[in-house]
Tab-separated table of all heavy atoms in Angstrom:
chain	number	residue	atom	x	y	z
A	1	LYS	N	167.640	142.272	150.434
A	1	LYS	CA	168.603	141.883	149.445
A	1	LYS	C	169.270	140.655	149.826
A	1	LYS	O	169.768	139.816	148.993
A	1	LYS	CB	169.610	143.044	149.170
A	1	LYS	CG	170.587	142.726	148.139
A	1	LYS	CD	171.551	143.846	147.901
A	1	LYS	CE	172.479	143.650	146.695
A	1	LYS	NZ	173.450	144.659	146.579
A	2	ASN	N	169.571	140.442	151.140
A	2	ASN	CA	170.213	139.335	151.579
A	2	ASN	C	169.693	139.148	153.153
A	2	ASN	O	168.781	139.758	153.553
A	2	ASN	CB	171.718	139.454	151.548
A	2	ASN	CG	172.233	140.646	152.241
A	2	ASN	OD1	171.752	141.177	153.291
A	2	ASN	ND2	173.360	141.227	151.721
A	3	GLN	N	170.304	138.217	153.790
A	3	GLN	CA	169.812	137.879	155.144
A	3	GLN	C	170.436	138.714	156.301
A	3	GLN	O	169.963	138.614	157.466
A	3	GLN	CB	170.171	136.407	155.454
A	3	GLN	CG	171.648	136.154	155.644
A	3	GLN	CD	171.950	134.666	155.867
A	3	GLN	OE1	171.312	133.869	155.382
A	3	GLN	NE2	173.063	134.378	156.645
A	4	SER	N	171.180	139.718	155.885
A	4	SER	CA	171.772	140.591	156.984
A	4	SER	C	170.633	141.388	157.527
A	4	SER	O	169.727	141.975	156.940
A	4	SER	CB	172.753	141.579	156.310
A	4	SER	OG	173.217	142.463	157.175
A	5	GLY	N	170.574	141.373	158.880
A	5	GLY	CA	169.553	142.148	159.623
A	5	GLY	C	168.067	141.580	159.601
A	5	GLY	O	167.203	142.185	159.970
A	6	ASP	N	168.102	140.224	159.153
A	6	ASP	CA	166.739	139.643	159.021
A	6	ASP	C	165.971	139.391	160.273
A	6	ASP	O	164.784	139.420	160.275
A	6	ASP	CB	166.901	138.288	158.285
A	6	ASP	CG	167.819	137.321	158.914
A	6	ASP	OD1	168.568	137.713	159.955
A	6	ASP	OD2	167.881	136.126	158.551
A	7	GLN	N	166.677	139.577	161.448
A	7	GLN	CA	165.937	139.489	162.694
A	7	GLN	C	164.945	140.626	162.804
A	7	GLN	O	163.881	140.480	163.504
A	7	GLN	CB	166.963	139.543	163.906
A	7	GLN	CG	167.598	140.921	164.198
A	7	GLN	CD	168.692	141.254	163.215
A	7	GLN	OE1	169.205	140.396	162.565
A	7	GLN	NE2	169.241	142.452	163.425
A	8	GLY	N	165.191	141.788	162.205
A	8	GLY	CA	164.293	142.899	162.229
A	8	GLY	C	163.049	142.632	161.456
A	8	GLY	O	161.877	142.869	161.997
A	9	THR	N	163.101	142.159	160.268
A	9	THR	CA	161.935	141.929	159.471
A	9	THR	C	161.074	140.736	160.099
A	9	THR	O	159.821	140.847	159.976
A	9	THR	CB	162.306	141.702	158.010
A	9	THR	OG1	163.291	140.603	157.901
A	9	THR	CG2	162.830	142.864	157.288
A	10	ARG	N	161.740	139.785	160.562
A	10	ARG	CA	160.995	138.598	161.195
A	10	ARG	C	160.284	139.117	162.446
A	10	ARG	O	159.093	138.841	162.606
A	10	ARG	CB	161.968	137.494	161.665
A	10	ARG	CG	162.590	136.776	160.465
A	10	ARG	CD	163.137	135.436	161.019
A	10	ARG	NE	164.095	135.721	162.133
A	10	ARG	CZ	165.342	135.821	162.007
A	10	ARG	NH1	165.950	135.818	160.793
A	10	ARG	NH2	166.109	135.975	163.040
A	11	ALA	N	160.905	139.977	163.277
A	11	ALA	CA	160.229	140.404	164.546
A	11	ALA	C	159.100	141.306	164.223
A	11	ALA	O	158.002	141.316	164.846
A	11	ALA	CB	161.238	141.125	165.431
A	12	LEU	N	159.247	142.159	163.143
A	12	LEU	CA	158.151	143.114	162.819
A	12	LEU	C	156.950	142.211	162.335
A	12	LEU	O	155.910	142.452	162.848
A	12	LEU	CB	158.592	143.914	161.520
A	12	LEU	CG	157.558	144.808	160.876
A	12	LEU	CD1	157.048	145.801	161.918
A	12	LEU	CD2	158.129	145.549	159.708
A	13	VAL	N	157.039	141.329	161.487
A	13	VAL	CA	156.013	140.476	160.966
A	13	VAL	C	155.351	139.677	162.083
A	13	VAL	O	154.095	139.653	162.286
A	13	VAL	CB	156.534	139.474	159.833
A	13	VAL	CG1	155.367	138.481	159.434
A	13	VAL	CG2	156.906	140.309	158.718
A	14	HIS	N	156.168	139.056	162.995
A	14	HIS	CA	155.538	138.133	163.987
A	14	HIS	C	154.849	138.943	165.083
A	14	HIS	O	153.888	138.396	165.657
A	14	HIS	CB	156.631	137.294	164.642
A	14	HIS	CG	157.345	136.462	163.509
A	14	HIS	ND1	158.746	136.230	163.718
A	14	HIS	CD2	157.065	135.985	162.369
A	14	HIS	CE1	159.081	135.558	162.609
A	14	HIS	NE2	158.111	135.372	161.863
A	15	ASN	N	155.329	140.050	165.366
A	15	ASN	CA	154.731	140.889	166.398
A	15	ASN	C	153.332	141.560	166.043
A	15	ASN	O	152.429	141.609	166.813
A	15	ASN	CB	155.617	141.961	167.079
A	15	ASN	CG	156.471	141.391	168.066
A	15	ASN	OD1	156.272	141.324	169.148
A	15	ASN	ND2	157.814	141.049	167.522
A	16	LEU	N	153.366	141.962	164.762
A	16	LEU	CA	152.147	142.682	164.233
A	16	LEU	C	150.857	142.117	164.416
A	16	LEU	O	149.878	142.684	164.883
A	16	LEU	CB	152.354	142.992	162.809
A	16	LEU	CG	153.241	144.281	162.435
A	16	LEU	CD1	153.397	144.239	160.881
A	16	LEU	CD2	152.592	145.534	162.920
A	17	CYS	N	150.752	140.785	164.232
A	17	CYS	CA	149.474	139.934	164.347
A	17	CYS	C	149.499	138.730	165.142
A	17	CYS	O	148.637	137.862	165.159
A	17	CYS	CB	148.864	139.732	162.948
A	17	CYS	SG	148.586	141.108	161.981
A	18	GLY	N	150.605	138.612	165.984
A	18	GLY	CA	150.756	137.514	166.889
A	18	GLY	C	151.146	136.174	166.292
A	18	GLY	O	150.894	135.126	166.829
A	19	GLY	N	151.985	136.295	165.271
A	19	GLY	CA	152.349	135.015	164.642
A	19	GLY	C	153.760	134.414	165.292
A	19	GLY	O	154.118	135.033	166.399
A	20	SER	N	154.338	133.464	164.675
A	20	SER	CA	155.469	132.956	165.122
A	20	SER	C	156.376	132.428	164.018
A	20	SER	O	155.773	132.091	162.966
A	20	SER	CB	155.317	131.845	166.229
A	20	SER	OG	154.662	130.669	165.598
A	21	PHE	N	157.597	132.172	164.261
A	21	PHE	CA	158.528	131.744	163.050
A	21	PHE	C	158.616	130.209	163.163
A	21	PHE	O	158.712	129.557	162.130
A	21	PHE	CB	159.858	132.358	163.211
A	21	PHE	CG	160.712	132.264	161.921
A	21	PHE	CD1	160.246	132.929	160.774
A	21	PHE	CD2	161.760	131.463	161.773
A	21	PHE	CE1	161.017	133.000	159.626
A	21	PHE	CE2	162.560	131.367	160.597
A	21	PHE	CZ	162.089	132.119	159.549
A	22	THR	N	158.581	129.623	164.370
A	22	THR	CA	158.577	128.236	164.464
A	22	THR	C	157.633	127.791	165.615
A	22	THR	O	156.988	128.597	166.299
A	22	THR	CB	159.999	127.753	164.994
A	22	THR	OG1	160.246	127.967	166.389
A	22	THR	CG2	161.076	128.295	164.100
A	23	ASP	N	157.538	126.401	165.709
A	23	ASP	CA	156.680	125.898	166.852
A	23	ASP	C	157.489	126.071	168.125
A	23	ASP	O	158.739	126.256	168.120
A	23	ASP	CB	156.211	124.500	166.521
A	23	ASP	CG	157.360	123.454	166.483
A	23	ASP	OD1	158.579	123.987	166.468
A	23	ASP	OD2	157.142	122.282	166.173
A	24	ALA	N	156.762	125.782	169.210
A	24	ALA	CA	157.402	125.941	170.543
A	24	ALA	C	158.607	124.973	170.702
A	24	ALA	O	159.653	125.265	171.477
A	24	ALA	CB	156.371	125.786	171.695
A	25	ALA	N	158.431	123.808	170.036
A	25	ALA	CA	159.532	122.772	170.216
A	25	ALA	C	160.676	122.996	169.369
A	25	ALA	O	161.700	122.104	169.350
A	25	ALA	CB	158.944	121.311	169.996
A	26	HIS	N	160.613	124.039	168.547
A	26	HIS	CA	161.762	124.269	167.510
A	26	HIS	C	161.876	123.114	166.597
A	26	HIS	O	163.134	122.822	166.272
A	26	HIS	CB	163.008	124.628	168.228
A	26	HIS	CG	162.864	125.804	169.203
A	26	HIS	ND1	163.660	125.822	170.352
A	26	HIS	CD2	162.062	126.979	169.105
A	26	HIS	CE1	163.419	126.944	170.928
A	26	HIS	NE2	162.432	127.650	170.203
A	27	SER	N	160.848	122.538	166.117
A	27	SER	CA	160.982	121.374	165.261
A	27	SER	C	160.620	121.663	163.802
A	27	SER	O	160.956	120.918	162.912
A	27	SER	CB	160.130	120.200	165.741
A	27	SER	OG	158.740	120.500	165.743
A	28	ARG	N	159.739	122.745	163.579
A	28	ARG	CA	159.440	123.032	162.241
A	28	ARG	C	159.110	124.574	162.182
A	28	ARG	O	158.874	125.240	163.169
A	28	ARG	CB	158.148	122.280	161.775
A	28	ARG	CG	156.917	122.489	162.630
A	28	ARG	CD	155.768	121.651	162.171
A	28	ARG	NE	155.494	121.479	160.750
A	28	ARG	CZ	154.768	122.456	160.036
A	28	ARG	NH1	154.110	123.412	160.670
A	28	ARG	NH2	154.655	122.373	158.796
A	29	TYR	N	158.936	125.055	160.948
A	29	TYR	CA	158.726	126.538	160.745
A	29	TYR	C	157.204	126.760	160.544
A	29	TYR	O	156.543	125.986	159.770
A	29	TYR	CB	159.564	127.001	159.588
A	29	TYR	CG	161.091	126.818	159.881
A	29	TYR	CD1	161.823	125.636	159.571
A	29	TYR	CD2	161.768	127.887	160.529
A	29	TYR	CE1	163.116	125.624	159.876
A	29	TYR	CE2	163.061	127.821	160.906
A	29	TYR	CZ	163.753	126.595	160.462
A	29	TYR	OH	164.986	126.478	160.852
A	30	THR	N	156.686	127.791	161.140
A	30	THR	CA	155.267	128.139	161.161
A	30	THR	C	154.953	129.396	160.504
A	30	THR	O	154.055	130.089	161.046
A	30	THR	CB	154.688	127.974	162.576
A	30	THR	OG1	155.429	128.923	163.361
A	30	THR	CG2	155.025	126.584	163.223
């Protein structure tokens, strides 16, 4: 509904199949 607690949904998605939210240099979103 909003961004509250969004760290949980991000971590779930990124861990499941080995993805990431940004590049290693923190310059863009992946």
